[in-house]
Structures are given as structure tokens and as C-alpha cells.
Amino acid sequence: MAEDRMTQLKMIKKIAEETKIAQKYVKEVLAATIALVRSELLAGCQVKITNLGTFKPATRAARTYNPPLTDKPVKKPATTTVKFKVTADLKRACNEQ
């Protein structure tokens, strides 16, 4: 059984192995890819990676809640997060294992 966790370093080594490209260059390309995805999300754009999924910025509305210990209403401001939707093919492949 494969290990449960793929770290960035392991990913770089595996890509370098499979593509016969030096780890130094794989690391640079991966860093540039991550930076591009990040900048697009911060600009409010969604990022679709074929055969993987779509990263999409999403806004959570402001709300008021009552913590049980204080019993005083607390206002939570609106926040922005990132949602990820996996492709149907990848979802199907995960469920076939």
C-alpha cells in the first residue's frame, strides 16, 4: 500500500524520476505553478486543471452567533476561502479502488 501522504518534496522527486528532468528544474516549475494558481485565486479567478479539478474562490457571508459560555452575540465578518471541486473522472477512479 502506498504511503498516505504526498509532500511537495516527494512530488518533486517523483516527477523528476518519471520525466528524467533535474529536481532543481522540477522544483522551479512547481513553485511557479503554485504561485500562478495563488495569484489567480487572489485576483478572484477560478483555476481549472484538466483531469484534476477546479480551484474557486468563495465568500462566506458575515454572520452573528451566540457562544454558549458568554451568551453574548458575536459578529463574524465575511471571509474568503478557496473551494476545490474534483473532476468526475478522478472521483470515479478513486471510487473504483
Side-chain angles (χ1 to χ4, degrees):
M1 185 173 155
E3 192 174 64
D4 290 357
R5 188 174 178 179
M6 172 64 76
T7 64
Q8 187 170 337
L9 181 59
K10 288 179 187 176
M11 187 180 294
I12 290 168
K13 287 180 180 179
K14 188 149 181 114
I15 292 170
E17 248 177 51
E18 291 182 12
T19 61
K20 308 286 191 256
I21 297 173
Q23 286 185 27
K24 173 185 174 183
Y25 300 118
V26 173
K27 184 177 180 180
E28 289 175 9
V29 170
L30 186 58
T33 302
I34 292 168
L36 178 61
V37 169
R38 179 183 166 90
S39 68
E40 290 300 309
L41 289 169
L42 291 174
C45 300
Q46 70 177 19
V47 179
K48 182 177 181 181
I49 302 175
T50 305
N51 298 324
L52 183 64
T54 304
F55 295 91
K56 186 176 175 181
T59 303
R60 292 187 178 145
R63 65 186 183 100
T64 303
Y65 65 97
N66 295 321
L69 297 176
T70 61
D71 200 33
K72 293 180 183 177
V74 176
K75 291 183 180 180
K76 184 171 181 175
T79 58
T80 302
T81 188
V82 176
K83 291 188 177 183
F84 179 75
K85 183 173 183 185
V86 70
T87 60
D89 288 342
L90 182 56
K91 190 179 219 179
R92 195 175 313 110
C94 288
N95 287 321
E96 288 174 359
Q97 289 189 4

